[in-house]
Amino acid sequence: MPFVERVFSGVQPTGNLHLGNYLGAIVNFVKMQETHNCIYCVVDMHAITQGIDVWGGPAELTRNTREVTAAFIAAGIDPKKHIVFNQSQVSGHAELAWIFNCVARMGWLGRMTQFKEKAGKDRENASVGLFDYPVLMAADILLYRATHVPVGEDQKQHLELSRDIAQKFNNDFGDSIRAQGANDGLFFPLPEPLITGPATRVMSLRDGTKKMSKSDASDNSRINLTDDADTIAQKIRKAKTDPEPLPSEEKGLEARPEADNLVGIFAALSGRAKADVLREFGGGQFSSFKNALAELCVTKLAPIAGEMKRLVADPGHIDSILNDGSDRARALADETMKLSKDIVGFIYRR
Ligand code: AQP
């Protein structure tokens, strides 16, 4: 069965969006619009998998859902040509996740490093939802039979699990799928991760070995998309570096994670190669490079922050975008759910 190429990806409304989310995911979301039909989802059901202290409670979830939607649009996603919606408005995500819960194996989920990191030592106290997060993610993607998923490097393992689930479903229900007329027995595509660009893993400004993250206790570890110019400049000035000047060649960044990260951010924001950035700044002190980086960050992020502010001031408009996107997503999802129910053998009102 040839699959129509379709892009799906999501972002959790769990707090301040940061430069890592922007460079690792949203920039690629914008680019993919030129070549594919795209579905971009604010994954509010994923957001509640951690403790309420992490996602902030109902009012915060609503506010963050609108803010992520605003970030998508401010960054250049067109919600009329493509689909922008919030996950909880389309019940197919939860329904397909249940079927996949019965396809995925405990051992597969037990190997997920993100669960181990997020649950920490107190695994007994982690929510069942946090453990099951990658199954819901597989359902998000496969509900639209999406073929391509732009994500940051940290999501690679979850994407591999989505492929395993799709493959096992196709195998387990092969006869039923063939009986439906799909003679090669493939109902779900094996979605391909698109982990591209020079900043697939943006690291913390305080520790070049840790990824930049919304949940880091230190706000100085990340540049938030809504930070003002002074805050951005201050965070970059304070960013951890080492005492050596910048190298003139990329090889010189090896074993210097903080320098490598800052050069990578500069390269990604300016659309230049790291080697090119080092040709300009190599041999110089960090202070002048940091000034140029701060200026670049402000130039690129200030218009997005300004537009986000304008958009969130009108929640009714954002909600109408999400409602319209959800209606269009639901039409596609319902189709997949009907076929999936036929394949599994569930009776439903036709
Ligand atoms: N540091 C990063 N570098 C590159 N890409 C990143 N992404 C996240 N952090 C980085 C990518 O952003 C997309 C949306 O991420 P998410 O909000 O759905 O999930 P997350 O990984 O939980 O984000 P955070 O910011 O790291 O949150 P916490 O602190 O909760 O762990 C994904 O494509 C992700 O790869």
Side-chain angles (χ1 to χ4, degrees), residues 9-14 16-26 29 43 46 50 54 114 118 133 150-156 199-204 210-216:
S9 198
V11 173
Q12 295 186 75
T14 39
N16 284 327
L17 282 180
H18 52 71
L19 195 60
N21 299 129
Y22 178 65
L23 291 174
I26 297 173
F29 294 1
V43 286
H46 283 277
Q50 295 192 72
V54 177
Q114 193 177 88
K118 290 201 171 166
Y133 179 115
V151 281
E153 167 80 33
D154 59 316
Q155 292 299 325
K156 191 165 178 249
T200 54
R201 192 172 178 84
V202 178
M203 309 309 276
S204 156
K210 261 173 59 185
K211 86 167 179 139
M212 187 177 283
S213 166
K214 292 176 199 139
S215 56
D216 195 311

Side-chain angles (χ1 to χ4, degrees), residues 7-8 38-39 49 133 230 258 261 270 296 304 330 332:
V7 165
F8 178 95
C38 303
I39 303 176
T49 54
Y133 179 115
D230 287 345
E258 283 83 16
N261 188 39
S270 60
L296 178 63
I304 297 174
R330 199 177 300 112
L332 297 169

Side-chain angles (χ1 to χ4, degrees), residues 55 158 172 192 204 282 299 336 350:
W55 57 273
H158 288 167
D172 287 356
E192 268 182 46
S204 156
T299 309
T336 308
R350 286 169 199 267

